[in-house]
Amino acid sequence: MTAADTSDKAVVLSAHERDEIDSWLARYPADQRQSALLGALRAVMHEDHYLSVPKMDAVATYLGLPPIAVYEVASFYSMFETDERAAARHSISVCTNISCMLSGADDILAHIEKKLGVRLGESTPDHKFYLKREEECLAACCGAPMMQVNHVYYTELTPEKVDSILDGLE
Amino acid sequence: MSDELVSFEVNGQTLQARPGSMLIAATDAAGITVPRFCYHKKLSVAANCRMCLVEVEKAPKPMPACATPIMAGMKVWTNSPKARAAQKDVMEFLLINHPLDCPICDQGGECELQDLSVGFGNSTSEYVEIKRVVRDKDIGPLIETAMTRCIHCTRCVRFGEEIAGMRELGATGRSQYTEIGTYVAKTVTSELSGNIIDVCPVGALTAKPSRYTARPWELRSYDSIAPHDCVGSNIHVHTARGKVVRVVPRENEAINECWISDRDRFSYEGLHSQERLLKPQIKRDGHWKKVSWQEALDAVSSILRKQLAFNVAAFAGPSSTLEEFFLFQKLLRALNIKNIDHRLRQVDFSDQAFVPSGLGVSFTELEQQQAIFLIGANPRHDQPMLNYRLRKASLAGAKVLALTPRKLAFNYTAEQIVAAPLAMVTELAVLVKAALEAASQAAPTVLADLLASVEISDTAKSQVENFKAPNSLILLGQMAVQHPAFSSLRSLATVLAQATGAKLGYLPEANSLAANLVGVLPHRGLAGEAIAAPGLPVSAALDDKNLTTVVLMNAELDDFANPQQVLKALRAAKNVIVFAPFADTQARDYATVLLPTSTFVETSGTLINAEGLWQSFKGVVNPPGEVRPLWKVLRVLGNALNLPDFDYVETSEIVAELKLELQAVPLTAMGQLSAPLVVAKQDANTMQRIGDVPLYRTDALVRRAKSLQAMLASPVVRMHLADMERLGIVAGDLVRLGQGDSYVQLPAEADEAVPKGCVWVQSATEVARALGAAFGSIMVDKG
Ligand code: SF4
Ligand code: FES
Ligand code: FES
């Protein structure tokens, strides 16, 4: 009668994503599938660079959770992108919190914006870079100014150093 | 948590409670006020609003009363300077982002935040920065949202997860970006969703149908009983300026706790339907003429007097009151009319000698069952608040098994045996055979052939094993009662109950238990009295060549199993006398006399719920126009016909009289066929129709409640993908469905929940009126 009576969602998880999720599931008790949620979302992030609603629904179905339980987690953690416009191969976070700011983070950020031709919070049209508005501080104050590209921290930045880091990325 | 009580002190007063129970429960019980938002006695503790902070001796900081377990000897102050300061600070924080829109907020006047801010808030705010704004969500026709008002107490989220058993709302984002919603645009579909309006302490979630209609202080509240299912939920009906503007739960721990179903909450909208009958009318030469009650009742009595009793058939809808049922059958029986029935959706009457009972257990006992077997029951739709009890049983570990013609969306763990309607009999036979074997009992002779034809499976063995638990219950639901082989299902269920020691009960339709007790039946009179030369059951009465006159009380096409057959009979009949609150175009076409009678808010009456509990209620509003309480109309008609003993002044007199009469009525859940059971074969050219009644098409009032109707998806035909491929149909194609001499066209949808060889075409919908038996064979081809 209502859509809720029959939910047959098309599964859109890739084989690789499913393997990854299964490897997480194996670490938890069988009745605690929710525990694999963060791992599952990370697997999807790796492949799509963001979490689309259909993918989150697929994760929900796969783990046997209500979709909203997945949306909650996905929207809570800043490491997860839920907006398609944020989907890019490389995610750059420039810390602009106090230590970095005092050491010239604003100039670094302005340099990156100029170099990539995007504003903070945007990604390049070729989906290579996403300049993320980060929830700071990134806890590398001793090496300020710093940025994080994907999972790697780069410290004591200068515009030249930034250029060579970014130019070196595929 | 131990059961021993310990003593502790609150504001210098000594209290006792179980150690480990939460402080707020004890202060509530003692009538000590502790402000709160997120705490709700029926929900888990979230302790996120911090409004309930109190001072606890030796604790360095104030503690939340809702999450502070009681310990022996502890000393608590709920209104010490320290506690008050903490409460005021929390209130200040809560109001930072709360809009100052109380004058245009529907919750104003009954808002927990507004109330508590009077006691704990400041008249001015030091906060001058920008307030946050949250975009409102459209979560469907029943619930209005104003999410800027939300204080993130998460009561609504916990309600969905814990009570409704369906998590639809959540808290997404974090910190100042946290929002309560569905994240994706989505209608909240739970059949209990309206309760989040009540649990929301602020005006973030309010009732959409009654939006901006009245202020809480303008409302008058009346106690009543919801008539739409066999639960009989206790309700408050709120009126403003003589009009019903909303319905809310009335707490009754033994029945509906503090909740009600959406159907019970929003059905009142139907009261104001365009199809409401306001004046008696008589059809003369094909034209309707408005007449006085006197004239109308004279006409009716002269019709009834002129007809021979066997020319008349009288049908009553199952949501009529006990008093209406009683007077209806009393009047007809006094005229010697025997074709009387209320089993409008039933088609198999071969074991009618055993008049069905109710549940056989109380609602609270339902929760204690260890094994529950639902045969042809969709309690989530048919009895939402009863389903809530079943869910509690399931969460407490009960094994729930369901035999159903289509896969159902249970909101708890239930093992489902999904079988095409006719195959349900064989599936049940498998379980019976397994149960008999486990109990080393021989098969009753009538079952011998059927049981010989099936084989016990290992699954069946383990399923039956569960029913050995001391508290196990088998329930026959509406789809079983409407089943073409209902008596076979019942016979098998009876043997299953006997072999396993499980109890057997029914999930009756609305108030039909009352109809069984007072004898709105062709073969039974008041209190189960056997009728010599019984009348015909509904379908036979409709087909009877002698039929010239039909009396319908609270019954219309959508209330019958086979609207096609009904329409044909009514069109052919010379007189169709209708006692009803509503008449649609079809009723105006087949009826010859229309008598405008009451709905449940315009009359006093009594409903008997599935437990067998009698609940009487009073009228709430004056009937509109010339509408009269139905029981009074029947009484006056009895007088007009000069029938004896029709001089009741109050419904309570009828109830007092019936209480004595109906004490020992032999109702039984058990039923035994005397002839051998056979399973009907499906004709290879047709498919089987699964025609259950949609959630919001159960009775005339519900069918006219606008917002509930907006919750229903438009009708489609659902079938298994394999059948679609076989018939060359793709999703969205129009499919031609034929039953009897007419057909309809509906778009197709693939649905794995429907067994092969079946189509799921629900009944009681407008298109289904052109179709035949709800659970019958149906021709299906590409349109
Ligand atoms: S919508 Fe109401 S019930 Fe839900 S979290 Fe907000 S304030 Fe609480
Ligand atoms: S302020 Fe930038 S890393 Fe701490
Ligand atoms: S009521 Fe205790 S924290 Fe909300």
Side-chain angles (χ1 to χ4, degrees), chain A residues 3-32:
Chain A
D5 262 320
T6 50
S7 64
D8 37 14
K9 282 190 189 92
V11 178
V12 289
L13 292 176
S14 70
H16 175 72
E17 285 163 340
R18 282 202 304 274
D19 287 349
E20 178 79 15
I21 299 174
D22 289 343
S23 79
W24 284 102
L25 280 172
R27 300 176 207 201
Y28 303 107
D31 59 342
Q32 303 281 314

PDB file of all heavy atoms in Angstrom, chain A residues 3-32:
ATOM      1  N   ALA A   3       4.791   2.837   0.212  1.00  0.00           N
ATOM      2  CA  ALA A   3       6.085   2.371  -0.252  1.00  0.00           C
ATOM      3  C   ALA A   3       6.770   1.532   0.815  1.00  0.00           C
ATOM      4  O   ALA A   3       7.547   0.639   0.512  1.00  0.00           O
ATOM      5  CB  ALA A   3       6.951   3.561  -0.635  1.00  0.00           C
ATOM      6  N   ALA A   4       6.469   1.825   2.078  1.00  0.00           N
ATOM      7  CA  ALA A   4       7.155   1.132   3.169  1.00  0.00           C
ATOM      8  C   ALA A   4       6.815  -0.351   3.196  1.00  0.00           C
ATOM      9  O   ALA A   4       7.517  -1.145   3.796  1.00  0.00           O
ATOM     10  CB  ALA A   4       6.779   1.763   4.495  1.00  0.00           C
ATOM     11  N   ASP A   5       5.708  -0.703   2.567  1.00  0.00           N
ATOM     12  CA  ASP A   5       5.309  -2.105   2.571  1.00  0.00           C
ATOM     13  C   ASP A   5       6.281  -2.981   1.795  1.00  0.00           C
ATOM     14  O   ASP A   5       6.409  -4.158   2.041  1.00  0.00           O
ATOM     15  CB  ASP A   5       3.923  -2.240   1.950  1.00  0.00           C
ATOM     16  CG  ASP A   5       2.890  -2.305   3.046  1.00  0.00           C
ATOM     17  OD1 ASP A   5       3.152  -2.954   4.052  1.00  0.00           O
ATOM     18  OD2 ASP A   5       1.848  -1.694   2.862  1.00  0.00           O
ATOM     19  N   THR A   6       6.892  -2.404   0.822  1.00  0.00           N
ATOM     20  CA  THR A   6       7.753  -3.189  -0.043  1.00  0.00           C
ATOM     21  C   THR A   6       8.987  -2.367  -0.320  1.00  0.00           C
ATOM     22  O   THR A   6       8.948  -1.407  -1.063  1.00  0.00           O
ATOM     23  CB  THR A   6       7.061  -3.433  -1.379  1.00  0.00           C
ATOM     24  OG1 THR A   6       6.603  -2.170  -1.852  1.00  0.00           O
ATOM     25  CG2 THR A   6       5.911  -4.381  -1.278  1.00  0.00           C
ATOM     26  N   SER A   7      10.074  -2.715   0.310  1.00  0.00           N
ATOM     27  CA  SER A   7      11.272  -1.959   0.001  1.00  0.00           C
ATOM     28  C   SER A   7      12.232  -2.883  -0.731  1.00  0.00           C
ATOM     29  O   SER A   7      12.766  -3.816  -0.173  1.00  0.00           O
ATOM     30  CB  SER A   7      11.906  -1.407   1.277  1.00  0.00           C
ATOM     31  OG  SER A   7      12.321  -2.468   2.088  1.00  0.00           O
ATOM     32  N   ASP A   8      12.367  -2.663  -1.995  1.00  0.00           N
ATOM     33  CA  ASP A   8      13.350  -3.438  -2.733  1.00  0.00           C
ATOM     34  C   ASP A   8      14.292  -2.445  -3.409  1.00  0.00           C
ATOM     35  O   ASP A   8      14.087  -2.024  -4.527  1.00  0.00           O
ATOM     36  CB  ASP A   8      12.692  -4.368  -3.753  1.00  0.00           C
ATOM     37  CG  ASP A   8      11.482  -3.750  -4.403  1.00  0.00           C
ATOM     38  OD1 ASP A   8      11.322  -2.522  -4.252  1.00  0.00           O
ATOM     39  OD2 ASP A   8      10.727  -4.450  -5.057  1.00  0.00           O
ATOM     40  N   LYS A   9      15.279  -2.028  -2.626  1.00  0.00           N
ATOM     41  CA  LYS A   9      16.189  -1.013  -3.141  1.00  0.00           C
ATOM     42  C   LYS A   9      17.245  -1.683  -4.000  1.00  0.00           C
ATOM     43  O   LYS A   9      17.768  -2.721  -3.665  1.00  0.00           O
ATOM     44  CB  LYS A   9      16.845  -0.278  -1.987  1.00  0.00           C
ATOM     45  CG  LYS A   9      15.910   0.742  -1.396  1.00  0.00           C
ATOM     46  CD  LYS A   9      16.634   1.645  -0.424  1.00  0.00           C
ATOM     47  CE  LYS A   9      15.618   2.500   0.312  1.00  0.00           C
ATOM     48  NZ  LYS A   9      15.179   1.873   1.551  1.00  0.00           N
ATOM     49  N   ALA A  10      17.568  -1.071  -5.123  1.00  0.00           N
ATOM     50  CA  ALA A  10      18.615  -1.604  -5.974  1.00  0.00           C
ATOM     51  C   ALA A  10      19.938  -1.486  -5.236  1.00  0.00           C
ATOM     52  O   ALA A  10      20.282  -0.433  -4.717  1.00  0.00           O
ATOM     53  CB  ALA A  10      18.664  -0.812  -7.270  1.00  0.00           C
ATOM     54  N   VAL A  11      20.652  -2.572  -5.136  1.00  0.00           N
ATOM     55  CA  VAL A  11      21.946  -2.541  -4.456  1.00  0.00           C
ATOM     56  C   VAL A  11      22.976  -1.980  -5.422  1.00  0.00           C
ATOM     57  O   VAL A  11      23.133  -2.464  -6.536  1.00  0.00           O
ATOM     58  CB  VAL A  11      22.349  -3.945  -3.986  1.00  0.00           C
ATOM     59  CG1 VAL A  11      23.720  -3.916  -3.328  1.00  0.00           C
ATOM     60  CG2 VAL A  11      21.305  -4.473  -3.020  1.00  0.00           C
ATOM     61  N   VAL A  12      23.650  -0.914  -4.999  1.00  0.00           N
ATOM     62  CA  VAL A  12      24.596  -0.295  -5.913  1.00  0.00           C
ATOM     63  C   VAL A  12      26.020  -0.321  -5.357  1.00  0.00           C
ATOM     64  O   VAL A  12      26.875   0.376  -5.837  1.00  0.00           O
ATOM     65  CB  VAL A  12      24.189   1.163  -6.244  1.00  0.00           C
ATOM     66  CG1 VAL A  12      22.967   1.184  -7.131  1.00  0.00           C
ATOM     67  CG2 VAL A  12      23.926   1.951  -4.967  1.00  0.00           C
ATOM     68  N   LEU A  13      26.256  -1.133  -4.343  1.00  0.00           N
ATOM     69  CA  LEU A  13      27.610  -1.210  -3.800  1.00  0.00           C
ATOM     70  C   LEU A  13      28.489  -2.027  -4.738  1.00  0.00           C
ATOM     71  O   LEU A  13      28.071  -3.068  -5.249  1.00  0.00           O
ATOM     72  CB  LEU A  13      27.589  -1.881  -2.421  1.00  0.00           C
ATOM     73  CG  LEU A  13      26.914  -1.096  -1.295  1.00  0.00           C
ATOM     74  CD1 LEU A  13      26.876  -1.927  -0.022  1.00  0.00           C
ATOM     75  CD2 LEU A  13      27.638   0.213  -1.057  1.00  0.00           C
ATOM     76  N   SER A  14      29.717  -1.571  -4.945  1.00  0.00           N
ATOM     77  CA  SER A  14      30.620  -2.321  -5.814  1.00  0.00           C
ATOM     78  C   SER A  14      31.168  -3.526  -5.058  1.00  0.00           C
ATOM     79  O   SER A  14      31.089  -3.593  -3.832  1.00  0.00           O
ATOM     80  CB  SER A  14      31.774  -1.424  -6.242  1.00  0.00           C
ATOM     81  OG  SER A  14      32.612  -1.188  -5.128  1.00  0.00           O
ATOM     82  N   ALA A  15      31.729  -4.452  -5.819  1.00  0.00           N
ATOM     83  CA  ALA A  15      32.273  -5.660  -5.190  1.00  0.00           C
ATOM     84  C   ALA A  15      33.367  -5.273  -4.196  1.00  0.00           C
ATOM     85  O   ALA A  15      33.452  -5.817  -3.095  1.00  0.00           O
ATOM     86  CB  ALA A  15      32.834  -6.585  -6.261  1.00  0.00           C
ATOM     87  N   HIS A  16      34.159  -4.288  -4.590  1.00  0.00           N
ATOM     88  CA  HIS A  16      35.250  -3.862  -3.721  1.00  0.00           C
ATOM     89  C   HIS A  16      34.708  -3.293  -2.403  1.00  0.00           C
ATOM     90  O   HIS A  16      35.186  -3.601  -1.312  1.00  0.00           O
ATOM     91  CB  HIS A  16      36.094  -2.810  -4.441  1.00  0.00           C
ATOM     92  CG  HIS A  16      37.167  -2.232  -3.579  1.00  0.00           C
ATOM     93  ND1 HIS A  16      38.274  -2.956  -3.224  1.00  0.00           N
ATOM     94  CD2 HIS A  16      37.265  -1.025  -2.963  1.00  0.00           C
ATOM     95  CE1 HIS A  16      39.024  -2.208  -2.429  1.00  0.00           C
ATOM     96  NE2 HIS A  16      38.439  -1.034  -2.255  1.00  0.00           N
ATOM     97  N   GLU A  17      33.670  -2.469  -2.536  1.00  0.00           N
ATOM     98  CA  GLU A  17      33.063  -1.887  -1.332  1.00  0.00           C
ATOM     99  C   GLU A  17      32.497  -2.977  -0.437  1.00  0.00           C
ATOM    100  O   GLU A  17      32.677  -2.948   0.781  1.00  0.00           O
ATOM    101  CB  GLU A  17      31.954  -0.902  -1.712  1.00  0.00           C
ATOM    102  CG  GLU A  17      32.492   0.417  -2.240  1.00  0.00           C
ATOM    103  CD  GLU A  17      31.448   1.236  -3.000  1.00  0.00           C
ATOM    104  OE1 GLU A  17      30.439   0.653  -3.456  1.00  0.00           O
ATOM    105  OE2 GLU A  17      31.662   2.435  -3.151  1.00  0.00           O
ATOM    106  N   ARG A  18      31.861  -3.948  -1.056  1.00  0.00           N
ATOM    107  CA  ARG A  18      31.272  -5.023  -0.249  1.00  0.00           C
ATOM    108  C   ARG A  18      32.353  -5.822   0.469  1.00  0.00           C
ATOM    109  O   ARG A  18      32.206  -6.156   1.639  1.00  0.00           O
ATOM    110  CB  ARG A  18      30.407  -5.932  -1.126  1.00  0.00           C
ATOM    111  CG  ARG A  18      29.050  -5.313  -1.444  1.00  0.00           C
ATOM    112  CD  ARG A  18      28.043  -6.387  -1.832  1.00  0.00           C
ATOM    113  NE  ARG A  18      28.537  -7.190  -2.949  1.00  0.00           N
ATOM    114  CZ  ARG A  18      28.376  -6.856  -4.226  1.00  0.00           C
ATOM    115  NH1 ARG A  18      27.737  -5.769  -4.552  1.00  0.00           N
ATOM    116  NH2 ARG A  18      28.854  -7.643  -5.178  1.00  0.00           N
ATOM    117  N   ASP A  19      33.464  -6.082  -0.236  1.00  0.00           N
ATOM    118  CA  ASP A  19      34.569  -6.804   0.406  1.00  0.00           C
ATOM    119  C   ASP A  19      35.065  -6.043   1.630  1.00  0.00           C
ATOM    120  O   ASP A  19      35.272  -6.601   2.693  1.00  0.00           O
ATOM    121  CB  ASP A  19      35.743  -6.967  -0.572  1.00  0.00           C
ATOM    122  CG  ASP A  19      35.421  -7.996  -1.631  1.00  0.00           C
ATOM    123  OD1 ASP A  19      34.401  -8.701  -1.448  1.00  0.00           O
ATOM    124  OD2 ASP A  19      36.163  -8.070  -2.628  1.00  0.00           O
ATOM    125  N   GLU A  20      35.243  -4.755   1.407  1.00  0.00           N
ATOM    126  CA  GLU A  20      35.744  -3.909   2.483  1.00  0.00           C
ATOM    127  C   GLU A  20      34.778  -3.945   3.688  1.00  0.00           C
ATOM    128  O   GLU A  20      35.192  -4.113   4.828  1.00  0.00           O
ATOM    129  CB  GLU A  20      35.887  -2.489   1.921  1.00  0.00           C
ATOM    130  CG  GLU A  20      36.341  -1.442   2.894  1.00  0.00           C
ATOM    131  CD  GLU A  20      37.846  -1.465   3.160  1.00  0.00           C
ATOM    132  OE1 GLU A  20      38.574  -2.109   2.381  1.00  0.00           O
ATOM    133  OE2 GLU A  20      38.255  -0.847   4.160  1.00  0.00           O
ATOM    134  N   ILE A  21      33.485  -3.807   3.385  1.00  0.00           N
ATOM    135  CA  ILE A  21      32.498  -3.823   4.478  1.00  0.00           C
ATOM    136  C   ILE A  21      32.522  -5.184   5.178  1.00  0.00           C
ATOM    137  O   ILE A  21      32.500  -5.261   6.404  1.00  0.00           O
ATOM    138  CB  ILE A  21      31.079  -3.506   3.946  1.00  0.00           C
ATOM    139  CG1 ILE A  21      31.058  -2.108   3.310  1.00  0.00           C
ATOM    140  CG2 ILE A  21      30.057  -3.583   5.071  1.00  0.00           C
ATOM    141  CD1 ILE A  21      29.760  -1.748   2.627  1.00  0.00           C
ATOM    142  N   ASP A  22      32.613  -6.233   4.380  1.00  0.00           N
ATOM    143  CA  ASP A  22      32.641  -7.571   4.986  1.00  0.00           C
ATOM    144  C   ASP A  22      33.824  -7.729   5.922  1.00  0.00           C
ATOM    145  O   ASP A  22      33.719  -8.361   6.975  1.00  0.00           O
ATOM    146  CB  ASP A  22      32.691  -8.647   3.893  1.00  0.00           C
ATOM    147  CG  ASP A  22      31.366  -8.749   3.152  1.00  0.00           C
ATOM    148  OD1 ASP A  22      30.354  -8.243   3.681  1.00  0.00           O
ATOM    149  OD2 ASP A  22      31.352  -9.308   2.031  1.00  0.00           O
ATOM    150  N   SER A  23      34.966  -7.123   5.522  1.00  0.00           N
ATOM    151  CA  SER A  23      36.138  -7.273   6.375  1.00  0.00           C
ATOM    152  C   SER A  23      35.912  -6.562   7.715  1.00  0.00           C
ATOM    153  O   SER A  23      36.404  -6.978   8.746  1.00  0.00           O
ATOM    154  CB  SER A  23      37.392  -6.763   5.682  1.00  0.00           C
ATOM    155  OG  SER A  23      37.429  -5.360   5.756  1.00  0.00           O
ATOM    156  N   TRP A  24      35.137  -5.485   7.692  1.00  0.00           N
ATOM    157  CA  TRP A  24      34.799  -4.822   8.955  1.00  0.00           C
ATOM    158  C   TRP A  24      33.784  -5.638   9.733  1.00  0.00           C
ATOM    159  O   TRP A  24      33.900  -5.786  10.950  1.00  0.00           O
ATOM    160  CB  TRP A  24      34.258  -3.416   8.704  1.00  0.00           C
ATOM    161  CG  TRP A  24      35.346  -2.449   8.354  1.00  0.00           C
ATOM    162  CD1 TRP A  24      35.667  -1.986   7.121  1.00  0.00           C
ATOM    163  CD2 TRP A  24      36.304  -1.882   9.261  1.00  0.00           C
ATOM    164  NE1 TRP A  24      36.756  -1.161   7.184  1.00  0.00           N
ATOM    165  CE2 TRP A  24      37.171  -1.072   8.492  1.00  0.00           C
ATOM    166  CE3 TRP A  24      36.512  -1.979  10.633  1.00  0.00           C
ATOM    167  CZ2 TRP A  24      38.222  -0.357   9.048  1.00  0.00           C
ATOM    168  CZ3 TRP A  24      37.559  -1.273  11.194  1.00  0.00           C
ATOM    169  CH2 TRP A  24      38.401  -0.476  10.410  1.00  0.00           C
ATOM    170  N   LEU A  25      32.813  -6.156   9.011  1.00  0.00           N
ATOM    171  CA  LEU A  25      31.772  -6.939   9.693  1.00  0.00           C
ATOM    172  C   LEU A  25      32.378  -8.109  10.446  1.00  0.00           C
ATOM    173  O   LEU A  25      31.927  -8.472  11.531  1.00  0.00           O
ATOM    174  CB  LEU A  25      30.747  -7.457   8.667  1.00  0.00           C
ATOM    175  CG  LEU A  25      29.697  -6.452   8.216  1.00  0.00           C
ATOM    176  CD1 LEU A  25      28.877  -7.017   7.063  1.00  0.00           C
ATOM    177  CD2 LEU A  25      28.784  -6.073   9.382  1.00  0.00           C
ATOM    178  N   ALA A  26      33.420  -8.689   9.861  1.00  0.00           N
ATOM    179  CA  ALA A  26      34.026  -9.869  10.457  1.00  0.00           C
ATOM    180  C   ALA A  26      34.620  -9.569  11.831  1.00  0.00           C
ATOM    181  O   ALA A  26      34.841 -10.469  12.632  1.00  0.00           O
ATOM    182  CB  ALA A  26      35.108 -10.412   9.527  1.00  0.00           C
ATOM    183  N   ARG A  27      34.867  -8.296  12.099  1.00  0.00           N
ATOM    184  CA  ARG A  27      35.499  -7.974  13.382  1.00  0.00           C
ATOM    185  C   ARG A  27      34.497  -7.806  14.525  1.00  0.00           C
ATOM    186  O   ARG A  27      34.884  -7.602  15.666  1.00  0.00           O
ATOM    187  CB  ARG A  27      36.287  -6.672  13.264  1.00  0.00           C
ATOM    188  CG  ARG A  27      37.356  -6.771  12.214  1.00  0.00           C
ATOM    189  CD  ARG A  27      38.039  -5.459  12.050  1.00  0.00           C
ATOM    190  NE  ARG A  27      38.542  -5.393  10.689  1.00  0.00           N
ATOM    191  CZ  ARG A  27      39.512  -4.600  10.300  1.00  0.00           C
ATOM    192  NH1 ARG A  27      40.072  -3.790  11.165  1.00  0.00           N
ATOM    193  NH2 ARG A  27      39.920  -4.609   9.058  1.00  0.00           N
ATOM    194  N   TYR A  28      33.220  -7.774  14.186  1.00  0.00           N
ATOM    195  CA  TYR A  28      32.224  -7.513  15.231  1.00  0.00           C
ATOM    196  C   TYR A  28      31.277  -8.685  15.368  1.00  0.00           C
ATOM    197  O   TYR A  28      31.125  -9.479  14.444  1.00  0.00           O
ATOM    198  CB  TYR A  28      31.424  -6.249  14.890  1.00  0.00           C
ATOM    199  CG  TYR A  28      32.294  -5.034  14.698  1.00  0.00           C
ATOM    200  CD1 TYR A  28      32.515  -4.507  13.435  1.00  0.00           C
ATOM    201  CD2 TYR A  28      32.926  -4.447  15.798  1.00  0.00           C
ATOM    202  CE1 TYR A  28      33.332  -3.396  13.261  1.00  0.00           C
ATOM    203  CE2 TYR A  28      33.747  -3.347  15.624  1.00  0.00           C
ATOM    204  CZ  TYR A  28      33.948  -2.825  14.367  1.00  0.00           C
ATOM    205  OH  TYR A  28      34.755  -1.743  14.208  1.00  0.00           O
ATOM    206  N   PRO A  29      30.593  -8.753  16.534  1.00  0.00           N
ATOM    207  CA  PRO A  29      29.599  -9.829  16.691  1.00  0.00           C
ATOM    208  C   PRO A  29      28.533  -9.734  15.596  1.00  0.00           C
ATOM    209  O   PRO A  29      28.225  -8.634  15.129  1.00  0.00           O
ATOM    210  CB  PRO A  29      28.985  -9.553  18.063  1.00  0.00           C
ATOM    211  CG  PRO A  29      29.929  -8.643  18.766  1.00  0.00           C
ATOM    212  CD  PRO A  29      30.686  -7.901  17.721  1.00  0.00           C
ATOM    213  N   ALA A  30      27.981 -10.881  15.233  1.00  0.00           N
ATOM    214  CA  ALA A  30      27.060 -10.933  14.093  1.00  0.00           C
ATOM    215  C   ALA A  30      25.836 -10.041  14.295  1.00  0.00           C
ATOM    216  O   ALA A  30      25.260  -9.549  13.331  1.00  0.00           O
ATOM    217  CB  ALA A  30      26.625 -12.372  13.859  1.00  0.00           C
ATOM    218  N   ASP A  31      25.416  -9.824  15.554  1.00  0.00           N
ATOM    219  CA  ASP A  31      24.216  -9.011  15.766  1.00  0.00           C
ATOM    220  C   ASP A  31      24.565  -7.534  15.962  1.00  0.00           C
ATOM    221  O   ASP A  31      23.748  -6.756  16.407  1.00  0.00           O
ATOM    222  CB  ASP A  31      23.418  -9.560  16.959  1.00  0.00           C
ATOM    223  CG  ASP A  31      24.249  -9.564  18.241  1.00  0.00           C
ATOM    224  OD1 ASP A  31      25.490  -9.473  18.138  1.00  0.00           O
ATOM    225  OD2 ASP A  31      23.650  -9.660  19.325  1.00  0.00           O
ATOM    226  N   GLN A  32      25.782  -7.159  15.653  1.00  0.00           N
ATOM    227  CA  GLN A  32      26.214  -5.767  15.836  1.00  0.00           C
ATOM    228  C   GLN A  32      26.676  -5.188  14.504  1.00  0.00           C
ATOM    229  O   GLN A  32      27.742  -4.594  14.417  1.00  0.00           O
ATOM    230  CB  GLN A  32      27.377  -5.700  16.832  1.00  0.00           C
ATOM    231  CG  GLN A  32      27.079  -6.300  18.180  1.00  0.00           C
ATOM    232  CD  GLN A  32      26.264  -5.362  19.046  1.00  0.00           C
ATOM    233  OE1 GLN A  32      26.563  -4.188  19.134  1.00  0.00           O
ATOM    234  NE2 GLN A  32      25.203  -5.866  19.638  1.00  0.00           N
TER     235      GLN A  32
END
